[in-house]
Amino acid sequence: MAKGKDVRVSIILECTSCVRKNVNKESSGISRYTTQKNRYNTTSELELRKFCRYCKKHTTHREIKK
């Protein structure tokens, strides 16, 4: 039996303050987290506050395209 599209999809969350015009010059990279979301319940782009180890504080992490 063939399955349809998966309900839960893997997404990547990326720090918005690290990406935005390389504001933090001393940072050596961009903070990224991987997680899953339900494509039917959360149709919009996911945005969470997570800890960025390069900024050394909690920042907004936004979903990016794979």
Side-chain angles (χ1 to χ4, degrees):
M1 181 185 271
K3 288 187 176 181
K5 290 186 178 182
D6 291 334
V7 175
R8 299 201 67 82
V9 292
S10 296
I11 58 169
I12 300 172
L13 300 174
E14 186 173 70
C15 179
T16 55
S17 63
C18 287
V19 175
R20 188 181 53 221
K21 299 179 186 174
N22 293 329
V23 173
N24 195 357
K25 295 293 183 188
E26 64 269 2
S27 71
S28 59
I30 297 171
S31 175
R32 289 190 174 150
Y33 285 92
T34 57
T35 187
Q36 292 183 341
K37 77 170 188 177
N38 188 319
R39 79 169 68 214
Y40 297 121
N41 294 340
T42 314
T43 55
S44 62
E45 192 173 89
L46 191 61
E47 188 173 298
L48 297 173
R49 285 184 51 84
K50 305 283 275 180
F51 183 78
C52 177
R53 63 179 180 235
Y54 301 108
C55 299
K56 297 181 177 73
K57 59 184 176 181
H58 282 85
T59 58
T60 304
H61 285 66
R62 192 169 291 146
E63 179 182 342
I64 60 170
K65 302 289 184 206
K66 281 190 175 180

